[in-house]
Amino acid sequence: MRTILNIIWLIFAGLGLFLGYVLAGILLCIPIVTIPWAIASFRIARYAIWPFGREIVSKPTAGVGSFLGNVLWVILAGWWLAIGHIVSGLALCITIIGIPMGIADFKMVPVSLMPLGKEIVSRRGAFDRTL
């Protein structure tokens, strides 16, 4: 089921959001000081193109530096990406089939605003680990 949702996601929302994060990452690589934010943008781009079966969790070692970095991120690129998630989430929720993908899109809004101090982990159950 995750694969089917990921393929539908890729067609209707994933590719556009992926390109948005990659563009933000490339623009943030231009000034050398903002390369840590570019790395975070590329990390989230990998998640935005194939989100089902993975989740975002907070790093236990994140501290004040991550918070201050997130404040700069919101100013530089975060609000643009959050608007993209909200618009595509609303568009996906128009159809019944798109509602799960719209909900997944809305779940990405917090990480698009505050990517530092987060990591993406696989959400595999006990059955998946035995295969």
Side-chain angles (χ1 to χ4, degrees):
M1 188 59 148
R2 286 184 294 209
T3 305
I4 293 170
L5 285 173
N6 278 322
I7 291 170
I8 295 170
W9 170 266
L10 178 67
I11 294 168
F12 290 107
L15 190 60
L17 294 170
F18 171 79
L19 293 174
Y21 279 106
V22 169
L23 178 65
I26 290 170
L27 292 175
L28 289 169
C29 279
I30 294 171
I32 294 172
V33 177
T34 58
I35 288 179
W37 291 277
I39 293 170
S41 182
F42 293 136
R43 184 172 28 102
I44 299 169
R46 286 194 329 249
Y47 177 69
I49 200 164
W50 204 258
F52 294 98
R54 298 188 290 169
E55 63 183 335
I56 300 166
V57 296
S58 295
K59 288 182 184 177
T61 58
V64 176
S66 294
F67 173 75
L68 295 175
N70 283 328
V71 170
L72 283 170
W73 170 264
V74 169
I75 295 168
L76 296 173
W79 65 281
W80 285 104
L81 296 168
I83 289 171
H85 281 292
I86 292 169
V87 168
S88 66
L90 289 172
L92 286 169
C93 284
I94 290 173
T95 65
I96 292 174
I97 295 172
I99 289 174
M101 291 172 281
I103 292 170
D105 215 352
F106 294 137
K107 287 182 182 179
M108 286 187 205
V109 171
V111 77
S112 70
L113 289 171
M114 297 178 287
L116 302 176
K118 307 277 193 243
E119 70 180 330
I120 300 162
V121 296
S122 178
R123 191 175 19 165
R124 294 187 176 247
F127 179 74
D128 291 337
R129 284 183 282 216
T130 61
L131 296 178

